[in-house]
Amino acid sequence: MTELMSIPGHIDPVPVPRPQAPAEGGRVNLIGLSKVQIRAALSEAGLDEKQAKLRAKQLWHQIYNRGATDFAAMSDIAKPQRAWLAECFAIERPEVVVEQVSTDGTRKWLLRTHDGHDFEMVFIPDADRGTLCVSSQVGCTLNCRFCHTGTMRLVRNLEPGEIVGQVMLARDSLGEWPPSAAEQQSNYDPEGRMLSNIVMMGMGEPLYNFDAVRDALKIVMDGDGLGLSRRRITLSTSGVVPMMARAGEEIGVNLAVSLHAVTKEVRDEIVPLNRKYGIEELLEACAAYPGANNARRITFEYVMLKGKNDSDADARELVRLIRKYKLPAKVNLIPFNPWPGADYECSDEERIRRFSEIVFEAGISAPIRRPRGRDIMAACGQLKSAAEKKSRAELDRIAAEKQAALA
Ligand code: SAH
Ligand code: SF4
């Protein structure tokens, strides 16, 4: 059982940790379990301690390192025991509802949990890396005004297995599981994989599902598991200040902060969580983030909204704040990706370029992110919403409920 996550205020909608739900037929799904938990599950199912230890090690390697999808193919386990494992256990990834590939190579999946809730995952290939954008919740309790996921109610937190399962599905789809030691050619190079980086920037606020995100990322980072270095993983938060230090200590991945505005007035409007944890408090937490230094800078995400947060004065204030808190920072300027019913427009190209220049001239890197996968609606929350359109009145009602919860 995981510890209760305590979040001050009224906005934590899922305060009770849930044990991982059983797979079909009451079988225990092994995906998402730690090595120790797999061993305990095997003991509980009847294996003696020595057997449980050995099998747990083999299963771990097969599932997370080799990407096995069933027990039948595990040739290092005796046949009768494979059949027994299949009766008691499952290796179940989330279900793929839709997989789309954009003309620019971006891939997008609509995935479904075992209890029928849809969520999204996106893969963005670049020349020197490939980044998988992973979801942490179905929906979101926060209500950032420019974000499509923010218009959805939080359905539930994703389980550790549903978070690791996303990475495993992407590896399935890209055909990037390493070959076995026996088959392994000398030219296999994990550094050459398309899926090289992970960002927790899909649907949901990862720091409101802390335990599951931490447990899932531990598996992703395990050397005999999925084997991604923590330097290639980034967790993005809208600014859940009380959880940031723990994220640094217990997960230790790179931090991205969705800043998006430099004045209280504007940030209160577009990131309502700012009314609870203000800009100064947030930047103090960034300055204290364990592991942040010039080699591992904090990324500030800044979505460019026309006439709202994109003036020269805003850019200069951003520089002043970063300097004031002596933050090892880089700024990611994100052109706003519009969606039907959104209250904002994207800043003009020239405005974004000028904003970038001002920050850059102060010695802070401020690249402009290219919009990707527009033809497949690859921005957060858009595929799911296309599948289930809500009326404007309903969106307003959900927004009002969320605002009331924050007050
Ligand atoms: N909840 C976390 C992580 C998920 S959102 C957070 O807010 O940081 C990931 C990023 O996508 C955030 O920086 C968010 O502000 C940005 N984003 C959301 N909707 C967007 C849109 N319509 N256009 C551009 N960026 C958007
Ligand atoms: Fe939630 Fe992040 Fe979207 Fe804000 S930007 S509503 S925190 S997913």
Side-chain angles (χ1 to χ4, degrees), residues 146-147 200-202 204-206 236-238 258 260 301 303 334-337 339:
F146 54 86
C147 171
M200 295 300 304
M201 286 188 193
E205 168 50 57
S236 173
T237 180
S238 54
S258 292
H260 303 315
E301 290 155 279
V303 62
I334 315 170
F336 170 61
N337 207 333
W339 38 274

Side-chain angles (χ1 to χ4, degrees), residues 120 137-155 201-205 238 269-272 336 339 341-343 379-382 384-385 390 392 394-403 406:
E120 302 173 359
Q137 299 182 308
V138 181
C140 189
T141 45
L142 301 172
N143 186 215
C144 303
R145 284 272 293 273
F146 54 86
C147 171
H148 213 192
T149 305
T151 64
M152 299 170 195
R153 220 185 279 274
L154 178 92
V155 177
M201 286 188 193
M203 296 172 76
E205 168 50 57
S238 54
E269 175 190 323
I270 66 179
V271 184
F336 170 61
W339 38 274
D343 297 324
C380 178
Q382 295 197 5
K384 178 178 162 96
S385 285
K390 288 195 177 68
R392 184 69 234 178
E394 197 178 347
L395 295 180
D396 287 345
R397 189 175 46 73
I398 294 170
E401 276 174 24
K402 290 187 179 183
Q403 303 275 351
L406 267 175

Side-chain angles (χ1 to χ4, degrees), residues 66 177-188:
R66 303 293 325 287
W177 292 103
S180 71
E183 299 154 4
Q184 202 149 332
Q185 307 289 325
S186 52
N187 60 5
Y188 176 75

Side-chain angles (χ1 to χ4, degrees), residues 294-307:
N294 272 326
R296 282 188 83 200
R297 288 173 294 171
I298 294 173
T299 304
F300 288 100
E301 290 155 279
Y302 201 99
V303 62
M304 300 301 295
L305 305 172
K306 191 179 211 159

Side-chain angles (χ1 to χ4, degrees), residues 84-259:
W84 174 79
L85 284 167
E87 273 167 34
C88 304
F89 300 102
I91 311 173
E92 233 169 54
R93 289 131 162 84
E95 180 193 337
V96 177
V97 183
V98 187
E99 177 171 355
Q100 292 175 310
V101 183
S102 159
T103 46
D104 67 9
T106 303
R107 290 174 189 234
K108 174 142 186 165
W109 294 260
L110 185 65
L111 304 177
R112 184 163 293 164
T113 63
H114 56 79
D115 52 347
H117 303 301
D118 293 354
F119 62 103
E120 302 173 359
M121 169 172 89
V122 181
F123 176 72
I124 303 162
D126 273 308
D128 59 338
R129 63 169 70 182
T131 306
L132 187 69
C133 181
V134 170
S135 289
S136 56
Q137 299 182 308
V138 181
C140 189
T141 45
L142 301 172
N143 186 215
C144 303
R145 284 272 293 273
F146 54 86
C147 171
H148 213 192
T149 305
T151 64
M152 299 170 195
R153 220 185 279 274
L154 178 92
V155 177
R156 71 165 171 80
N157 281 338
L158 289 175
E159 297 164 0
E162 291 164 338
I163 299 170
V164 189
Q166 294 173 63
V167 182
M168 299 173 77
L169 269 175
R171 232 179 228 182
D172 294 345
S173 170
L174 297 167
E176 290 197 312
W177 292 103
S180 71
E183 299 154 4
Q184 202 149 332
Q185 307 289 325
S186 52
N187 60 5
Y188 176 75
D189 174 16
E191 287 297 309
R193 282 197 290 247
M194 289 224 288
L195 199 182
S196 61
N197 292 58
I198 290 180
V199 291
M200 295 300 304
M201 286 188 193
M203 296 172 76
E205 168 50 57
L207 294 188
Y208 277 163
N209 187 14
F210 185 84
D211 289 4
V213 167
R214 176 199 55 207
D215 294 351
L217 291 180
K218 288 237 141 92
I219 296 173
V220 172
M221 292 186 279
D222 187 288
D224 190 37
L226 289 149
L228 256 102
S229 142
R230 67 192 172 93
R231 291 174 194 284
R232 293 184 174 273
I233 302 175
T234 300
L235 184 147
S236 173
T237 180
S238 54
V240 184
V241 168
M243 301 303 289
M244 284 168 58
R246 270 188 76 192
E249 282 152 19
E250 296 178 35
I251 313 176
V253 296
N254 302 320
L255 182 69
V257 171
S258 292
L259 191 63

